[in-house]
Each structure stands twice: as C-alpha cells, then as structure tokens.
C-alpha cells in the first residue's frame, strides 16, 4: 500500500497521464490508505463504485402548492449535507472530486463495517418521472444505461417511484441477460427532504448492497429488506413497508447485522457475457376473471393486436369448468397462436392442476404460470414474445421455465435439504447436534474451505457433492477467496468451467481486491482467462490502476507471452506507464521489435 502523500502525488500523475478515472459519469476507482486524521497507512479503505440512476419518484419530490412533483438536481445537493450519506471530510482529505472529475454528482459514504468506502455517482434523468408515467421505453433507457456503464461500476442503484417499481424490476430482470453485478431498485414513501422519511434508509441500504455484495440479480430494497425484483408487488400505499414478496423470502435482511440469504440468491447457469435485451412485445395484457364475466369481454380481450395474455384466475389456477362458452373462446385464441399464461389472483400460492377447474384451462392450451406475480408474468411474456429466432412452441416452453428465479415450476425444487446430506449428518452426529440452525452453522463454516480445497485439486465431483448439500459455490473463505479464485490460480480449467456453469460469480473480489480474472492473468492461465472472458469477466477500474506500468515492464523485458495474456483479458494495450510512456515506445526503446509490432497490431 502506498502512503497517503505518495498516493496523492500518484493520483495527480494518473489524472494527467492515463485515461483512467476521468469522466462525468464513471471510470476509475482507488485504494486509499489513511486514518481519519489523514495520517498515512494506518488502515486501508477499499473504494467501490456505484452508479445511482435517478429516474424520479417520491424520494426526490418536493411539495409545490400542496402537490408532490419531482425536483431536478435537488437530491444530490441535499445528500451532500447529510453526514450519514456523505463523508465530506474524507472527500476533501483524499481529493475525491479531483480524482473522479464529477464533483457535482459524486458522493461517498462513511466507511462501512466491512471497511469499504462506497463512492456513488448520480446519473439523473430528465425529466424526472412519477413512476405512474413510466412506459417500457423508460425500462429500456435504464437497461441501456446499465449496459453502457457496466464495466465502470461494481453495482447499480435505480431510484424509482414505488407505484410501478415492481413492473420495472421485473422487466429489468428479464432484459438483463447473464447479469453478474447487483442492480438494486429503491425509492420511498416520503420525500428524502422531509423530517420523517424512509428515503434515507432505503437509499443507504440499496447502496450498501450494490457496493459490497456480488448479488447478481435485479433486486428491490425497501424497509430493511432486499427482495428479488421479479418476486415483489406493491401492497401498501400508506406504510413504509410498501412491498411484499409473497412467494420468496427476502434475499437479505437488514437488522443489527446485514444477513444475506446466499442460498436463495439466483445465479445464471450458462456461461455467457452480460447483455441487455431491450426487445419487448407490448401487445400483452392482464385479464382478471370474476364471477359472471361475459364471453364478449373475454373474446374482445383476446383479439388482435393482442399476442399474449396473463389470465388471472381463482385460487390455485381455477376458472369455471361449467362455462363452455368461456373455455371455447380461450381455446380458439390459443389455437390462433395467442399465448395465455395462467396466474393466480391470490397474493401467495401457485397454479397447480389439482382441480378439474384448473385442468380445463390447461386443456384449452393455457400455460401454467406457477407462482409468478402478475407483474413478473406480464414482463416475462413481453420479453419472450419479442424473441425473433424461436418458434411459438419454444416460446410456450420458455414461459413455463424458470428464467430468472421468477417462479418455482412444479418439477423443480428437488434440491437436497441440509438434513439429506450424509456428510453433514456424520459431522453433526459426532458433534452431537441436531437442530437446523446448528447444522446450517456447521455447513457454512466448513463448506467454503472444503470447496476451495476441491477447486485446488480439480475435484469437480466433490464440488458437485458440496453443491448438493445446498451450498452456494460462490461463498468465500477467510481471505474472501472463492473456489473460482482458487481454480483460476491453479489453472484448473475443468473446475472453472464447472463453477461458471453453476453460476459462480466472476466479479467477487478477495480481501486483496483481486478478481479471479486478475489471478489468472498473473499466473498466466491462458485457458482460464479465455473462459472467464466468455462469461463477461473484466478487470475493475481499481484493478486496472497499475496496469499501464505492468505492460511497460513486460514490454521492457520483451515478454511477449505475458503481454498476450493481458490482451486476452481485454486490456487496452496502449495504456501508459507511470511516466506516461506507452508499452510500444518502451518495447522500441529496448529493441524488442516483435513485441512492439504485437502491441501495435
Ligand atoms: N407516485 C409516486 C411514484 O410512483 C409514488 C412513489 O414514488 O412512491 O412515482
């Protein structure tokens, strides 16, 4: 670690000599060493970066003539005056504003319990919207901005009105394909400027998640709880507890401690890069059944231009089976190619075919939506219907499959429970314990270490056994190192492949701030670098800090193989070293012409 004074001088060099760390929104991250009085090296603050996309909503509204409306540029100004949401002395001491060059939009939280400094930068939309005015076009804008700034930030917070937040969260969860970083939506019931507001807590919670935990999901944070975005629904307009997730427990609870329910965190099971797919079919709708609904109403609703309909049925997916007229309309529509998905009107529970009344719908060609919320079902339908390259039948199959943790389909959930694990049972017996909490504690203590050992030895079978115990294979050991870090270092390609296919996150940093990609580069594990890149891994701005100098060092020693690995890792080979010289110039100076040619190519 450099001392404070050194670091500040170096940061001046960085600002003038590299393209890092400069732009109104984004780029760059620092590691800062200082104590609260500014003395060097007594402790280390690792900065993480969060982009806050402000779309509007009550959180930033001001009362004008008795009516609440969004107020442009007001939020950042106010937050800057709140010590709990902005540490101005730290910003001054560490020249934060000079470093990030976006002084008017960037703030920094006080040091967190995990010794992190979350630096957050605002991207404010214009006009700011009440979420009742939002449309799929606005979801696309948010999705595109997440894609645009994806590599520059560790996580994203989206400030949003509560009225349609569940719709946006659901839509973003489908649009964001192979997401590897947290996207957290939040807002408030009372403007942040008011004395009794939930906005300050909600923003703080969302920032702490986005800046500290690699939860690769679109989530919603509200009133001390983090939910999966496509599982929530707004249930109360007059309470701070505005949202519920009836069919899935929260991903995290903010009590005295923050406890993350890692077993519930959703992870993609394919190895592919993050992209945002903004194609949504808008010819979709929600039709709620009610006793006495007329055939004409149903018929009118199911006609063109409608391409897909969510049918909100009774109880566990029932519709009257004594109304042949209705069932005929539904059957005719599905035969014409309209896709109809069956969701329950109940807040909690799932669609099954245990009643004759439910079977009648499935016989009429209706797809089971299991326990999806109407918001999730609608956006999933819109997302699936917009796919150009698959057939109608494949679309129907896709709708009945779990894509982003939005539902539990009937045949899923066969996960072994903790008590099924022989391994844990043996240990539990020898320690004479039996209760679930104690078993869980043993599992949590043992399995990260076991998984790391298995990763080192290339033992995918052991990893699979550990996973079957219900363990999250992204859990880290005492050094914050995950099995993926270990496999990357050891060049265990098969293990890396296996872990990625089980959703291991590529963005987790160990206590030294290193990702598995950085480990693989340093140990020259070419195949691993390739695999990780396929999954969208990239070096964080923080990790890139000294890269120019490293490239120059390799260029000076004519180390072509070393340079090739960095290139494979997607690094800009023209990054200058500490003295502003580019690697090509250095290679020429040292007469390594082959290296210089490679760098130029
Ligand atoms: N009407 C507001 C909105 O959805 C309500 C809120 O933010 O809570 O934008």
């Amino acid at each position: 670690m450099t001392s404070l004074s050194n670091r500040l001088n170096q940061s001046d060099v960085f600002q003038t000599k590299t393209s890092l760390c400069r732009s109104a929104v984004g780029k760059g991250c620092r590691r800062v060493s200082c104590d609260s009085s500014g003395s060097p090296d007594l402790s280390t603050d690792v900065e993480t970066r969060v982009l806050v996309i402000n779309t509007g909503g009550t959180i930033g509204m001001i009362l004008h003539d008795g009516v609440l409306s969004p107020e442009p540029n007001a939020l950042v100004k106010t937050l800057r005056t709140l010590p709990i949401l902005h540490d101005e002395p730290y910003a001054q001491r560490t020249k934060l504003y000079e470093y990030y060059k976006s002084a008017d939009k960037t703030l920094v939280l006080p040091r967190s319990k995990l010794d992190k400094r979350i630096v957050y930068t605002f991207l404010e939309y214009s006009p700011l919207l009440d979420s009742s005015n939002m449309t799929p076009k606005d979801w696309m804008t948010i999705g595109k901005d997440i894609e645009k700034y994806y590599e520059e930030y560790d996580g994203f917070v989206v400030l949003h009105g509560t009225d349609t937040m569940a719709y946006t969260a659901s839509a973003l969860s489908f649009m964001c394909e192979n997401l590897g970083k947290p996207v957290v939506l939040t807002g408030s019931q009372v403007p942040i400027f008011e004395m009794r507001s939930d906005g300050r807590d909600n923003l703080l919670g969302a920032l702490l998640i986005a800046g500290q935990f690699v939860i690769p999901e679109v989530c919603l944070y509200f009133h001390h709880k983090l939910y999966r975005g496509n599982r929530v629904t707004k249930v109360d307009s007059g309470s701070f507890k505005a949202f519920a997730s009836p069919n899935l427990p929260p991903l995290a609870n903010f009590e005295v401690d923050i406890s993350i329910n890692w077993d519930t965190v959703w992870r993609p099971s394919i190895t592919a890069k993050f992209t945002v797919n903004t194609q949504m079919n808008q010819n979709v709708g929600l039709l709620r059944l009610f006793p006495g609904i007329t055939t004409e109403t149903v018929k009118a609703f199911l006609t063109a231009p409608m391409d897909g309909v969510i049918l909100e049925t009774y109880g566990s997916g029932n519709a009257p089976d004594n109304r042949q007229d209705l069932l005929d309309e539904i059957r005719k529509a599905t035969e014409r190619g309209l896709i109809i998905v069956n969701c329950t009107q109940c807040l909690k529970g799932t669609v099954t075919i245990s009643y004759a009344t439910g079977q009648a719908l499935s016989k009429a060609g209706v797809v089971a939506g299991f326990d999806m919320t109407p918001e999730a079902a609608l956006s999933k339908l819109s997302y699936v219907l917009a796919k150009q390259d698959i057939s109608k039948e494949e679309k129907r199959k896709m709708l009945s499959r779990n894509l982003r943790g939005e539902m539990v389909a009937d045949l899923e959930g066969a996960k072994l429970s903790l008590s099924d694990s022989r391994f844990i049972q043996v240990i539990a017996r020898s320690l004479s314990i039996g209760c679930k909490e104690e078993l869980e504690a043993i599992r949590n203590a043992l399995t990260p270490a076991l998984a790391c050992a298995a990763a080192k030895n290339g033992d995918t079978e052991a990893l699979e056994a550990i996973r079957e115990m219900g363990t999250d294979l992204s859990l880290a050991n005492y050094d914050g190192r995950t099995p993926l870090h270990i496999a990357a270092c050891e060049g265990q390609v098969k293990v890396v492949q296996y872990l990625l296919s089980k959703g291991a996150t590529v963005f987790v940093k160990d206590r030294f701030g290193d990702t598995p990609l950085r480990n693989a580069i340093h140990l020259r594990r070419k195949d691993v670098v390739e695999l990780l890149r396929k999954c969208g891994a990239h070096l964080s701005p923080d990790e890139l800090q000294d890269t120019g100098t490293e490239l120059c060092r390799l260029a000076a020693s004519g180390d072509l193989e070393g340079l090739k690995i960095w290139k494979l890792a997607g690094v800009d080979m023209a990054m200058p070293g500490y003295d502003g010289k580019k690697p090509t110039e250095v290679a020429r100076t040292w007469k390594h012409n082959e290296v210089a040619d490679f760098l130029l190519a």
Side-chain angles (χ1 to χ4, degrees), residues 8-22 98-99 101 544-549 552 572-583 585:
L8 292 180
N9 290 339
Q10 282 182 357
S11 89
D12 293 340
V13 173
F14 264 94
Q15 283 174 30
T16 51
K17 298 276 169 68
T18 79
S19 61
L20 258 184
C21 323
R22 280 176 282 143
E98 286 170 43
Y99 195 78
K101 296 281 178 197
L544 282 168
Q545 262 188 36
D546 301 323
T547 299
T549 303
C552 289
D572 172 10
M573 302 305 279
M575 280 177 84
Y578 69 93
D579 58 355
K581 284 216 180 80
K582 291 194 175 172
E585 293 169 55

Side-chain angles (χ1 to χ4, degrees), residues 188-265:
S188 68
Q189 296 280 54
V190 177
I192 213 163
F193 314 105
E194 290 187 20
M195 192 191 201
R196 278 190 69 242
S197 167
D198 52 336
R200 295 182 287 271
D201 246 12
N202 287 347
L203 175 59
L204 186 60
L207 286 168
L208 289 174
I209 290 289
Q212 300 192 108
F213 302 99
V214 190
I215 297 178
E217 293 208 39
V218 174
C219 320
L220 188 150
Y221 181 80
F222 223 86
H223 198 57
H224 317 308
K225 298 214 182 302
L226 182 77
Y227 303 104
R228 177 168 302 150
N230 55 33
R231 288 293 196 149
V232 288
T233 189
K234 185 171 175 182
V235 289
D236 198 330
S237 61
S239 158
F240 287 149
K241 199 166 171 274
F243 290 91
S245 170
N247 289 320
L248 189 82
L251 301 177
N253 289 296
F254 278 52
E255 302 294 341
V256 173
D257 291 315
I258 299 175
S259 61
I260 313 273
N261 193 354
W262 286 109
D263 290 352
T264 310
V265 171

Side-chain angles (χ1 to χ4, degrees), residues 291-465:
I293 189 170
T294 65
T295 322
E296 288 68 36
T297 304
V298 173
K299 189 174 173 185
F301 203 85
L302 302 183
T303 48
M306 214 51 114
D307 288 322
V309 168
I310 305 300
L311 190 65
E312 292 187 65
T313 55
Y314 311 127
S316 51
N318 306 321
D321 64 348
N322 60 357
R323 287 281 308 271
Q324 202 50 45
D325 53 334
L326 280 191
L327 293 170
D328 283 347
E329 284 311 324
I330 291 172
R331 189 183 33 76
K332 276 190 241 160
T334 57
E335 281 171 5
R336 276 198 315 271
L338 187 92
I339 296 188
I340 306 180
V341 181
N342 185 0
C343 284
T344 171
Q345 293 177 11
C346 294
L347 197 55
K348 191 167 166 28
T350 187
V351 164
T352 62
I353 44 165
S354 33
Y355 291 93
T357 41
Q359 270 196 2
L361 282 179
S362 94
K363 280 192 190 136
V366 175
V367 179
F370 298 104
D371 59 347
M372 273 191 286
T373 60
E375 291 92 333
L378 191 73
S379 47
K380 183 176 182 181
L381 188 58
S382 179
Y383 166 79
V384 170
L385 283 174
K387 297 227 166 263
Q388 306 283 352
D389 45 351
I390 56 172
S391 68
K392 265 269 152 63
E393 201 34 53
E394 282 169 310
K395 287 180 186 171
R396 288 169 57 86
K397 278 198 189 130
M398 209 169 168
L399 280 161
S400 52
R401 252 197 355 252
N402 179 9
L403 302 181
R404 307 277 192 277
E406 73 281 4
M407 66 182 197
V408 177
D410 258 359
L411 299 173
E412 292 174 20
K415 192 160 127 181
L416 283 178
S417 82
L418 203 53
S419 48
D420 292 336
S421 159
R422 243 175 60 75
F423 172 75
I424 293 291
Q425 273 178 18
V426 170
I427 293 185
R429 230 174 285 129
S430 63
L431 295 176
S432 351
I433 54 171
C435 81
K436 184 172 167 276
E437 288 71 23
E438 281 176 330
L439 280 176
E440 250 163 26
I442 300 183
R443 181 192 62 177
N444 294 346
L446 287 181
T447 47
L450 288 175
C452 285
K456 179 172 187 295
N457 298 332
D459 192 343
T460 45
E461 264 173 47
L463 284 167
E464 181 59 20

Side-chain angles (χ1 to χ4, degrees), residues 5-158:
S5 56
N6 275 345
R7 206 261 315 141
L8 292 180
N9 290 339
Q10 282 182 357
S11 89
D12 293 340
V13 173
F14 264 94
Q15 283 174 30
T16 51
K17 298 276 169 68
T18 79
S19 61
L20 258 184
C21 323
R22 280 176 282 143
S23 85
V25 179
K27 287 204 176 161
C29 215
R30 317 175 294 170
R31 283 177 217 202
V32 177
S33 303
C34 60
D35 73 356
S36 55
S37 65
S39 316
D41 267 350
L42 294 181
S43 62
T44 299
D45 283 2
V46 173
E47 287 179 357
T48 63
R49 295 211 68 196
V50 174
L51 180 66
V52 179
I53 300 176
N54 183 12
T55 70
T58 300
I59 193 164
M61 289 189 187
I62 286 182
L63 206 57
H64 293 289
D65 304 327
V67 196
L68 283 172
S69 58
E71 178 79 10
N73 304 317
L75 208 51
V76 181
K77 264 193 230 141
T78 304
L79 297 178
R80 209 175 281 293
T81 64
L82 303 174
I84 199 67
L85 283 158
H86 176 62
D87 186 346
E88 182 61 22
Y90 173 86
Q92 293 296 342
R93 204 165 66 231
T94 65
K95 297 192 177 177
L96 186 95
Y97 305 129
E98 286 170 43
Y99 195 78
Y100 291 113
K101 296 281 178 197
S102 47
D104 54 334
K105 299 190 191 80
T106 299
L107 300 139
V108 58
L109 288 186
R111 180 187 296 153
S112 76
K113 262 188 169 178
L114 299 177
D115 286 338
K116 294 254 169 72
R117 283 283 178 175
I118 299 169
V119 178
Y120 59 111
T121 300
F122 269 77
L123 171 61
E124 186 164 298
Y125 286 176
S126 178
L128 289 167
L129 293 175
D130 183 301
S131 74
S132 309
N133 289 326
M134 288 178 93
T135 66
K137 215 168 140 248
D138 299 299
W139 307 339
M140 291 171 200
T141 310
I142 302 169
K144 280 287 155 204
D145 276 327
I146 293 171
E147 187 173 46
K148 183 169 169 193
Y149 296 111
Y150 190 69
E151 298 211 346
E152 294 170 25
Y153 291 90
D154 297 293
F156 299 84
V157 167
V158 179

Side-chain angles (χ1 to χ4, degrees), residues 551-561 563-564 567 573-574 582-601:
L551 296 181
C552 289
R553 193 186 63 73
L554 293 169
S557 57
D559 189 342
L560 191 56
E561 285 313 305
L563 287 164
K564 279 185 180 164
K567 184 157 190 200
M573 302 305 279
K582 291 194 175 172
T584 339
E585 293 169 55
V586 176
R588 293 256 183 259
T589 309
W590 289 87
K591 306 231 173 332
H592 296 305
N593 289 335
E594 197 193 343
V595 170
D597 293 344
F598 163 78
L599 287 166
L600 272 180

